[in-house]
Amino acid sequence: PLFAQHMAREIGKPVADAQQILTSQGLVPVESDTRPDSKVAVGSVLSQNPQAEAVVKLGRRVYLTLSGGEPMVGVPQLRGRSPRDAKFTLERNGLILGGTEYAVSELYPENTIIGQTVQQGIQVPKGSAIGIVVSQGKALDQSPVPDLVGKTVTEAERMLTQRGLKLGNIAYQSSFDLLPNTVVDQFPRAGDSVTQGHQIDLFVIKVGKPTEEIEPPRK
């Protein structure tokens, strides 16, 4: 009949295009709702009522539901939590734990989160990564690593103990230029700041310069 019109399929089209098509067919487009959707672009038609191919009267209202784009979630408060707790909290909210940085803090104990890259309450796309800043403890808990190269293992251990540090693993290597039991390298390096009780690994000479051979007496 002349007073009726076949509904066209508007799903996936930008709302402006859908409105223009419906208006040209003598129908009245109405934006009824917006829902998050990761597959349909923001502002495009997600669904319509009546459905496509339905026969309706001219002047009929057609209700359009639009896509709001990626689902958004609020960022939880991570400050004061441990990194492990923060990971579980983020995952429960549809987010993931991002990069981790460390900083000295006078207020928060070691291994406690003191900052986050996205603040609490901000809406972000589901699946976003949220980075954190973790306390290394107070500055007084930090010790500079002494220079141990050239020292004996005994001297190196004494210097570490005086600074509240510990002797770590010892890797031995051979050299014909240095005396046995001499430290030739270390990790962490001299001057680095580490927490109290941190272990310092040493590289030490095991076999040194050989003794000179004594010539046999001449006959």
Side-chain angles (χ1 to χ4, degrees), residues 9-99:
R9 179 179 173 84
E10 309 301 336
I11 295 174
K13 296 177 182 177
V15 63
D17 293 348
Q19 290 172 334
Q20 183 178 4
I21 294 171
L22 292 170
T23 301
S24 67
Q25 294 178 340
L27 303 172
V28 180
V30 177
E31 296 181 26
S32 63
D33 194 12
T34 299
R35 295 204 310 266
D37 192 282
S38 58
K39 296 180 180 179
V40 179
V42 177
S44 295
V45 178
L46 196 59
S47 64
Q48 65 186 75
N49 185 25
Q51 299 296 323
E53 302 303 324
V55 178
V56 297
K57 293 181 179 180
L58 293 176
R60 173 73 155 83
R61 291 183 180 181
V62 181
Y63 297 93
L64 304 176
T65 298
L66 307 184
S67 170
E70 291 281 352
M72 305 292 284
V73 295
V75 177
Q77 174 66 273
L78 303 179
R79 186 177 290 107
R81 301 175 182 267
S82 69
R84 184 174 183 274
D85 187 20
K87 180 177 183 297
F88 292 138
T89 300
L90 290 170
E91 289 176 351
R92 285 197 299 268
N93 287 270
L95 303 169
I96 60 176
L97 181 63

Side-chain angles (χ1 to χ4, degrees), residues 106-129:
E106 298 294 329
L107 299 177
Y108 291 89
E110 186 177 358
N111 204 41
T112 302
I113 296 175
I114 59 178
Q116 54 194 89
T117 54
V118 183
Q119 298 305 310
Q120 177 190 14
I122 293 179
Q123 297 288 316
V124 297
K126 190 174 182 179
S128 296

